[in-house]
Amino acid sequence: MATSLGTATRRLAVAGALALVLIGVSSPPAFAAEAGVNLREPNAQQLTYVKELGSHWVRLFVNWPDFEPARGVFAPAQLSYYEQILAGLPAGSKVIADVVNTPAWESGSGDPHAPPHPVDYAAFVHVLAQRWAGRVAAWEIWNEEDAPRWWTGAPDPAAYVALLQAAYPAVKSVDPQATVVLGGLTGNDFEFLQGVYEAGGKGYFDAVGVHTDTACDVLSPYDFLRGVDGRMIDDSFLAYREVHATMLANGDDKPIWMTEMSWRTTTAVCSEGTFAGQKPEGVTPAEQAEYLAQAYHCMAQDPYVQVALWFPLQDEATLSNGLVRTNGSRKPAFGAMRSYVTKGDQLTEPCGVFTGPQISVLSPANNVRYSGPLPIHVVARSSQGVFRITLKIDGKLIRNYGGGTYPSTLSGFLEWQGAKHIPLGRHTLTVLAYDQERNVSQTTLTIVHSTASSSAGHKAKSGHARKKHRSRRRRVRSRHKVP
């Protein structure tokens, strides 16, 4: 059956490509992330939206307590409902099944987010993977297991690795072609991923899932912030590149699947996270569409991001992230998704700025010799806004300039009295400039601390030489004077 399904899928792909050529529409670039949507509570109407979008992937949540209400007892109605959804998807659709939550009979508590026993969880996944082999392309092992909201007691990389080690062979033993996805990390939590590697998780997943639909995110995908270690913070959209860097550092080159991405469309004030009550919760519908296109534009430049799914397809009571409103009307982002699916990435602009501000040192000059206070005047410019200018002498801090206003031009001036107290001789003055995203640029110059007497002697000697030169020039002119 798997062979015939593969043949059918290939035929559909060829036919689809031919159809696109015939109507003059190009397919997405070869390495662009394949698009898809999340269906939280799938129904027949949502399947029509999926068909209209023409997207390749669909992600479904498999709530374990609903499927197995008692040990070894499966709910026929729940199985039938999901199998109807699978059958109703457009031909060639690829499905990710995300298996979440723990039944009370298994955990001994009423907490659905209590960590499951790996053997029981794997046994459940094994039954479904065998039943749905060929219909489900990928199995995602839990959801945001790095967050206490979804895994009680998180973060606990070692406990999660035990789940991976049980679930991976449970899937592969009945459907070797299925992809096992490390459960979508909250943001781009590369630190938790590092913990997974340290706990022995390497080799027990085929792709790393990440979620970039972070709370109250109103920034463009191009915008990011760096931490004190210079790495992008995990809430930044582009920090999936830090996830990839972590994988490579551990000798792993698996793909990344962004199983959740989105921006909310609401005028409400943020009610969660660090900035609760201090910033907007969402963006305008037009901005949502713009950010969708920008997100796929960025991922198109990173071929290791293979799949990216919007979360969710349709708004719900408290969720405004959807491409479709609760009344069924399409947001502009629906059209943006449809455009990407049919035409591919159409943007050509840079994806983010990764160079620091331009630095101009007005004083001192390089290799200047001085004996007293040293005037220092520097200017930094950036289209991203300048966050800070830092002055250092021989690696030690002199002064910082800047604040939270992020001007496009920031100036720093100092009549540095400390220059009188550093040892005589050559020293390195370093100027660093940071933009709002903590990109940094640097320039260095040499200053030479001389004694006042040597400087004066140098000036006197120079003056004496100039007088001798002028006297010699007068004698030469007098010898050549015409009588």
Side-chain angles (χ1 to χ4, degrees):
M1 182 173 179
T3 302
S4 62
L5 180 63
T7 301
T9 302
R10 286 193 295 273
R11 288 174 179 169
L12 283 169
V14 172
L18 179 59
L20 288 173
V21 171
L22 291 175
I23 63 175
V25 178
S26 60
S27 60
F31 292 118
E34 294 187 68
V37 292
N38 280 262
L39 303 182
R40 274 171 46 100
E41 297 178 0
N43 55 49
Q45 181 59 53
Q46 290 183 352
L47 295 184
T48 64
Y49 301 144
V50 173
K51 292 175 183 178
E52 186 178 342
L53 280 173
S55 53
H56 308 295
W57 286 88
V58 169
R59 181 171 176 250
L60 304 174
F61 290 93
V62 175
N63 187 36
W64 182 13
D66 290 343
F67 279 80
E68 192 178 6
R71 184 182 295 275
V73 178
F74 287 81
Q78 191 72 2
L79 288 167
S80 176
Y81 166 66
Y82 267 72
E83 285 165 1
Q84 288 178 21
I85 295 298
L86 293 174
L89 289 169
S93 293
K94 290 169 279 190
V95 176
I96 302 173
D98 188 359
V99 182
V100 297
N101 297 337
T102 307
W105 61 259
E106 201 275 345
S107 66
S109 75
D111 179 7
H113 305 134
H117 293 88
V119 173
D120 291 337
Y121 180 92
F124 172 68
V125 172
H126 176 86
V127 170
L128 285 190
Q130 186 173 38
R131 183 179 179 111
W132 293 346
R135 288 186 285 178
V136 169
W139 295 88
E140 191 168 354
I141 309 304
W142 211 259
N143 174 72
E144 299 186 9
E145 60 280 351
D146 56 332
R149 181 179 179 182
W150 303 109
W151 180 291
T152 303
D156 189 346
Y160 180 67
V161 166
L163 195 68
L164 282 177
Q165 291 172 335
Y168 187 83
V171 171
K172 294 294 187 177
S173 63
V174 292
D175 191 358
Q177 301 307 311
T179 300
V180 176
V181 184
L182 183 144
L185 301 170
T186 308
N188 294 288
D189 193 349
F190 53 87
E191 291 182 350
F192 184 86
L193 180 61
Q194 178 62 35
V196 167
Y197 282 113
E198 291 173 358
K202 182 179 178 181
Y204 292 96
F205 53 86
D206 303 315
V208 172
V210 298
H211 292 169
T212 59
D213 53 334
T214 52
C216 304
D217 183 11
V218 295
L219 297 177
S220 159
Y222 299 167
D223 294 326
F224 58 90
L225 288 175
R226 296 186 189 275
V228 294
D229 59 358
R231 303 186 73 175
M232 285 182 273
I233 63 172
D234 55 13
D235 280 346
S236 301
F237 178 84
L238 284 174
Y240 66 76
R241 295 177 178 176
E242 300 290 359
V243 172
H244 187 238
T246 299
M247 297 168 71
L248 294 180
N250 286 277
D252 213 359
D253 196 14
K254 300 288 196 315
I256 290 174
W257 287 21
M258 194 174 290
T259 53
E260 291 185 16
M261 58 177 278
S262 63
W263 283 260
R264 303 174 186 180
T265 53
T266 175
T267 57
V269 175
C270 181
S271 60
E272 56 187 300
T274 304
F275 296 100
Q278 304 176 46
K279 59 178 288 189
E281 181 177 318
V283 299
T284 67
E287 287 173 326
Q288 185 193 49
E290 178 185 12
Y291 292 174
L292 182 151
Q294 290 177 350
Y296 281 107
H297 172 57
C298 290
M299 292 183 289
Q301 301 173 47
D302 295 313
Y304 53 83
V305 185
Q306 293 183 342
V307 178
L309 290 77
W310 195 265
F311 176 88
L313 169 62
Q314 187 171 19
D315 286 349
E316 298 173 17
T318 58
L319 281 176
S320 61
N321 308 53
L323 304 174
V324 181
R325 299 180 182 89
T326 53
N327 64 7
S329 61
R330 282 71 160 167
K331 298 180 187 178
F334 187 95
M337 174 71 87
R338 174 64 180 161
S339 175
Y340 174 76
V341 170
T342 57
K343 300 177 184 179
D345 173 28
Q346 300 295 297
L347 300 180
T348 58
E349 62 208 34
C351 171
V353 174
F354 292 89
T355 55
Q358 177 186 359
I359 299 173
S360 300
V361 180
L362 305 183
S363 66
N366 192 33
N367 289 312
V368 67
R369 300 179 70 87
Y370 76 95
S371 59
L374 182 68
I376 302 176
H377 189 188
V378 297
V379 177
R381 299 177 177 85
S382 172
S383 62
Q384 303 301 301
V386 183
F387 166 64
R388 176 180 295 162
I389 294 174
T390 297
L391 305 179
K392 293 183 177 182
I393 188 71
D394 299 331
K396 297 180 180 179
L397 178 66
I398 299 176
R399 182 165 297 183
N400 285 318
Y401 299 90
T405 58
Y406 308 115
S408 59
T409 300
L410 181 64
S411 179
F413 178 77
L414 171 67
E415 189 76 21
W416 185 36
Q417 299 295 325
K420 298 181 293 185
H421 306 297
I422 62 176
L424 297 175
R426 302 172 71 85
H427 299 274
T428 300
L429 177 64
T430 302
V431 180
L432 300 104
Y434 303 82
D435 67 14
Q436 185 171 204
E437 296 175 343
R438 307 306 190 265
N439 291 312
V440 60
S441 53
Q442 172 181 313
T443 187
T444 60
L445 57 153
T446 299
I447 60 173
V448 183
H449 187 191
S450 302
T451 61
S453 59
S454 65
S455 296
H458 175 71
K459 290 178 181 177
K461 184 178 179 181
S462 297
H464 180 67
R466 285 196 296 272
K467 288 178 182 177
K468 286 182 64 178
H469 181 64
R470 285 197 297 270
S471 176
R472 183 174 179 276
R473 288 178 62 191
R474 283 196 296 270
R475 290 197 301 271
V476 170
R477 283 199 296 271
S478 66
R479 285 201 302 269
H480 293 280
K481 187 174 181 181
V482 178

